[in-house]
Structures are given as structure tokens and as C-alpha cells.
């Protein structure tokens, strides 16, 4: 894979590692978002551009599908293994893992990976490097399932119709400390957290990790599968379009005027910096969302209409569905959202006010500080390549008081 896009900014003197000097984050100077149409700005940015797709975390995209020539033998093997039935959310995580969104993970987390994620928001690789991983990707089982697994070193994962989806090998079973998981992921154990109620409270008291082998790509047969492009497919699409920069924007609700303005203005600024063909990845979240979010089918219809009406340029926009479930875990989760887009080839990531946040489940206030998401991204372990270009938007635009564009730093 070609080297990632790079942007070189004129910075003050290099940061000192002395503890006597204050720590600096890598925020670039604020850029004010224009709300009136007019002549293009003649601002010159002190940059030197070298552009191609960014490398995945760990240097290689990790896809977890079995070879076609081995599918029959693997299926036959799976039929003789203890079976674990996947919930709808579990299946979405199999989808995420199988396509390499969580690269370099090779399956559901074993205990060491789980603990690193909870306590450090990162994973240390064999070569000593660190990649970001802020959200546990784990599979829970109950006492009865654990008993059925017994001494087996592999299990078959099946869907709600008992169809074999995958094999989990070289397994490790360990305690599912739910309170610790919830407290460290959300920063609270208050009742009413949507993902907790959906996928954790009712889950088993054990976690099972191992190497994942998925028999075939996950399909939902809901009329939207053609939008579900894998990281490899997205990379191919960006290369076909000769993109020299890719900027991603995640939504879990419809595009409104403020979003459209932000996305078009981001492209304009990338052109001003010297990029020749920046491409937008409009990337709505397609996994589990809470009941009061707009359903995926309606969001996708609206996104298609936005392109049909020319609000966004179809020639420079790729619409795809991100298969991850939504945690609503604020600054913790936004790291996962940014990290996953690296693996898809995006070297810019746009994030707004209170990313991945929600209202407190018991009190009349936001659960997270609205500015902490962007601040955490500037400091997160394993995301040191992230550089931040602040944009400011007038308050009357749908409450978007501050929106940030993130540039992955070479």
C-alpha cells in the first residue's frame, strides 16, 4: 500500500520532552467557516502536499474471510463444533471484524486485548507500536454455553436461523466484568444507557475471544447491501476516482444544511491547501442505534436525494454504510469512529459538537462535555497522526457551534 497522504505545517519549535514545559496538542490554527457564498479565499497555507491513501493500522488491512477453496471444508468442520448463537448486535461485530474495520484485530478480544482497551484505549502490537482501540469488541456467553464449550478449542458461531457464520479458534474464556466494562467505556453506570441495555445487561457473565474465520460476507437483504462497502472496496473506489485526499463524515441522522455546508467547505479548503481531487466519504452508521434515532432506510433515502439534487457532488462523494453498532460513549467512542476510517483509507475525519454523545439518562443535561471529543482525539494514544483544523459555524445553524475537521498526520 502506498504511503499515506501527508500535510506539513509550519509549526513553532519542536516540542520539548522536558516535564518542566507545558504539553502542546496538535491543533492547527482555527479556520472560520464562511456562511455567505462569494469569491474563493486567496489565503495561502504554508503547506507541502504529498498525497496517496493512508496505510491501515498495523500496516495491513486484516480481512477474516476463509478462502473460497476452503469454505466447504470449514463449513463441515463447524458442524461438529459446539455452537454459540449470535445476537443481532453480535453479528454486526462479526461484520466489523471480518472486513478489517478493527485492523489489526484478528477476532473477538481475548482478555489481554480487552484489558488494554478498557484501561489504555489502545493495543500494543508485537513490534512495540501502539494502535488506538477504545471500544471493546467482545462476545459474551452464559454459563450454559460455557458448559457446552467444555474443553473444545474452537466453536462455531451461528445466526438466529442456526446457519454457521464463522468459526472462532484458539479460544480463551474469561470473566465478563460488566460493571467495570460499563464504567470505563461510558464513565458512568447510570441505568438507561441504550447500548448497555441492548447488549450488556442481558448478556452472559463470560467473554469468549479467539481468531475469527468468517465463511462469507455478512449480508442483511434489506435493500441496502450495495451501500455496505468494505474498507478494501472503499480503497479501490478512492483509487479509481484518483482521490489524493479522502475526508469522512459520520452521521446517525439525516444530513441538514449545516452538515452540507461543512462538507462542501471542507473540500474547498482542501483544494486551497493544494490537493487536486479530495473525495468525501459520507459514511452513516448502520449498526445498532437507539429507538429515537432515524431508521437507516430513511437516512439512506435522504442521502441519495441529497446527491440527486446536487447538494453534494456525486462525482466527488462516496456514500457507504459503516456497519458498527453505536455505543453513545462520547469521547471514548469517537476514537473508534476515527480509527475505523483510517482502515478505510480516509486521511481526514470531520467531527462535530458532542460526537457520539447523548443526554444523560437520568438528568436534564448532556452526558459528556461537548468539546471533549475533539480534545481527546488530539491526545489519544495510537492516533498521533491526527491533526486538527478547527472550523467555526454561526450558532443559528442547527446548533452546530463548533465543528472540527481532523487530518491524519504523516
Amino acid at each position: 500500500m502506498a504511503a499515506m497522504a501527508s500535510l506539513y505545517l509550519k509549526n513553532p519549535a519542536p516540542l520539548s520532552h522536558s516535564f518542566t514545559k507545558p504539553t502542546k496538542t496538535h491543533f492547527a490554527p482555527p479556520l472560520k467557516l464562511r456562511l455567505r457564498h462569494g469569491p474563493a479565499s486567496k489565503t495561502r497555507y504554508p503547506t507541502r502536499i504529498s498525497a496517496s491513501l493512508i496505510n491501515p493500522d498495523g500496516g495491513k488491512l486484516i480481512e477474516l474471510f476463509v478462502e473460497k477453496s476452503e469454505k466447504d471444508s470449514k463449513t463441515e468442520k463447524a458442524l461438529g463444533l459446539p455452537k454459540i448463537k449470535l445476537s443481532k448486535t453480535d453479528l454486526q461485530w462479526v461484520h466489523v471484524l471480518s472486513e478489517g474495520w478493527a485492523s489489526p484485530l484478528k477476532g473477538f478480544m481475548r482478555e489481554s486485548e480487552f484489558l488494554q482497551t478498557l484501561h489504555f484505549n489502545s493495543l500494543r502490537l508485537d513490534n512495540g507500536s501502539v494502535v488506538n482501540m477504545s471500544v471493546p469488541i467482545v462476545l459474551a456467553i452464559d454459563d450454559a454455553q460455557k458448559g457446552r464449550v467444555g474443553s473444545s478449542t474452537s466453536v462455531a458461531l451461528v445466526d438466529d436461523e442456526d446457519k454457521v457464520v464463522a468459526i472462532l479458534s484458539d479460544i480463551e474464556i474469561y470473566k465478563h466484568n460488566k460493571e467495570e466494562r460499563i464504567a470505563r467505556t461510558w464513565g458512568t453506570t447510570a441505568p438507561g444507557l441504550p447500548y448497555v441495555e441492548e447488549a450488556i445487561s442481558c448478556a452472559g457473565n463470560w467473554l469468549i475471544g479467539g481468531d475469527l474465520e468468517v465463511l462469507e460476507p455478512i449480508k442483511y437483504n434489506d435493500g441496502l447491501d450495495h451501500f455496505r462497502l468494505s474498507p478494501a472496496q472503499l480503497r479501490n473506489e478512492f483509487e479509481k476516482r484518483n482521490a489524493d485526499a479522502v475526508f469522512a463524515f459520520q452521521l446517525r441522522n439525516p444530513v441538514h444544511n449545516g452538515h452540507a455546508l461543512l462538507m462542501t467547505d471542507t473540500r474547498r479548503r482542501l483544494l486551497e491547501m493544494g490537493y487536486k481531487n479530495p473525495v468525501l466519504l459520507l459514511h452513516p452508521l448502520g449498526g445498532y442505534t437507539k429507538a429515537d434515532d432515524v431508521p437507516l432506510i430513511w437516512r439512506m433515502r435522504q442521502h441519495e436525494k441529497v446527491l440527486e439534487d446536487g447538494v453534494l457532488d456525486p462525482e466527488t462523494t462516496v456514500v457507504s454504510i459503516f456497519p458498527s453498532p453505536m455505543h453513545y460513549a462520547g469521547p471514548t467512542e469517537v476514537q473508534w469512529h476515527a480509527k475505523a476510517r483510517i482502515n478505510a483509507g480516509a486521511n481526514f475525519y470531520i467531527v462535530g459538537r458532542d460526537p457520539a454523545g447523548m443526554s444523560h439518562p437520568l438528568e436534564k443535561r448532556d452526558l459528556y462535555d461537548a468539546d471533549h471529543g475533539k480534545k481527546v482525539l488530539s491526545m489519544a494514544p495510537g492516533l498521533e497522526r491526527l491533526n486538527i483544523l478547527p472550523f467555526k459555524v454561526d450558532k443559528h445553524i442547527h446548533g452546530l457551534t463548533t465543528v472540527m475537521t481532523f487530518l491524519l498526520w504523516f
Side-chain angles (χ1 to χ4, degrees), residues 100-325:
W101 295 102
S103 292
L105 272 186
K106 296 181 179 179
F108 284 106
M109 291 178 174
R110 297 181 175 89
E111 187 174 35
S112 63
E113 295 164 325
F114 176 66
L115 291 175
Q116 288 180 74
T117 297
L118 283 189
H119 293 270
F120 310 121
N121 284 0
S122 61
L123 298 175
R124 187 171 296 280
L125 307 185
D126 291 341
N127 63 7
S129 64
V130 171
V131 298
N132 192 268
M133 182 57 68
S134 62
V135 171
I137 302 180
V138 292
L139 179 61
I141 59 174
D142 58 26
D143 291 350
Q145 290 171 314
K146 181 176 181 290
R148 287 196 294 271
V149 171
S151 60
S152 178
T153 58
S154 300
V155 296
L157 307 182
V158 302
D159 63 16
D160 57 4
E161 296 179 351
D162 287 329
K163 178 183 176 182
V164 177
V165 172
I167 296 173
L168 197 65
S169 302
D170 191 18
I171 61 174
E172 177 183 345
I173 297 176
Y174 55 101
K175 189 71 175 176
H176 187 187
N177 293 317
K178 296 182 184 180
E179 185 175 21
E180 180 185 21
R181 177 184 174 187
I182 295 166
R184 288 195 171 272
T185 303
W186 282 270
T188 180
T189 55
L193 297 170
Y195 186 89
V196 171
E197 293 188 343
E198 174 72 17
I200 299 179
S201 296
C202 58
N205 293 321
W206 304 94
L207 297 175
I208 182 169
D211 295 331
L212 191 65
E213 297 175 286
V214 181
L215 298 182
E216 58 186 13
I218 305 298
K219 301 296 181 184
Y220 299 84
N221 301 313
D222 57 357
L224 299 176
D225 282 331
H226 64 288
F227 283 113
R228 294 183 174 95
L229 302 181
S230 70
Q233 290 172 322
L234 285 169
R235 286 174 172 270
N236 288 337
E237 182 64 25
F238 299 144
E239 289 176 349
K240 282 196 303 182
R241 297 194 186 206
N242 295 315
D244 59 356
V246 177
F247 58 108
F249 189 36
Q250 172 175 299
L251 291 166
R252 66 175 193 264
N253 279 303
V255 176
H256 60 56
N257 289 340
H259 296 145
L261 175 64
L262 171 65
M263 289 182 277
T264 55
D265 198 79
T266 298
R267 186 171 195 276
R268 177 181 66 80
R269 293 186 179 279
L270 292 176
L271 291 169
E272 289 178 355
M273 290 177 189
Y275 289 98
K276 302 300 182 184
N277 188 33
V279 170
L280 166 65
L281 172 59
L282 181 56
H283 212 201
L285 186 136
Y288 162 79
T289 55
K290 54 190 175 69
D292 59 352
D293 281 346
V294 176
L296 180 61
I297 182 65
W298 293 108
R299 284 185 276 142
M300 296 311 298
R301 289 174 181 173
Q302 192 257 4
H303 292 359
E304 286 185 292
K305 188 65 174 173
V306 164
L307 294 180
E308 288 175 7
D309 291 350
V311 177
L312 297 173
D313 185 355
E315 295 298 317
T316 58
T317 304
V318 175
V319 178
S320 181
I321 294 173
F322 179 44
S324 176

Side-chain angles (χ1 to χ4, degrees), residues 22-35:
T23 301
K24 298 180 181 179
T25 58
H26 43 286
F27 282 89
L31 301 174
K32 192 168 184 180
L33 184 62
R34 294 176 181 269
L35 300 179

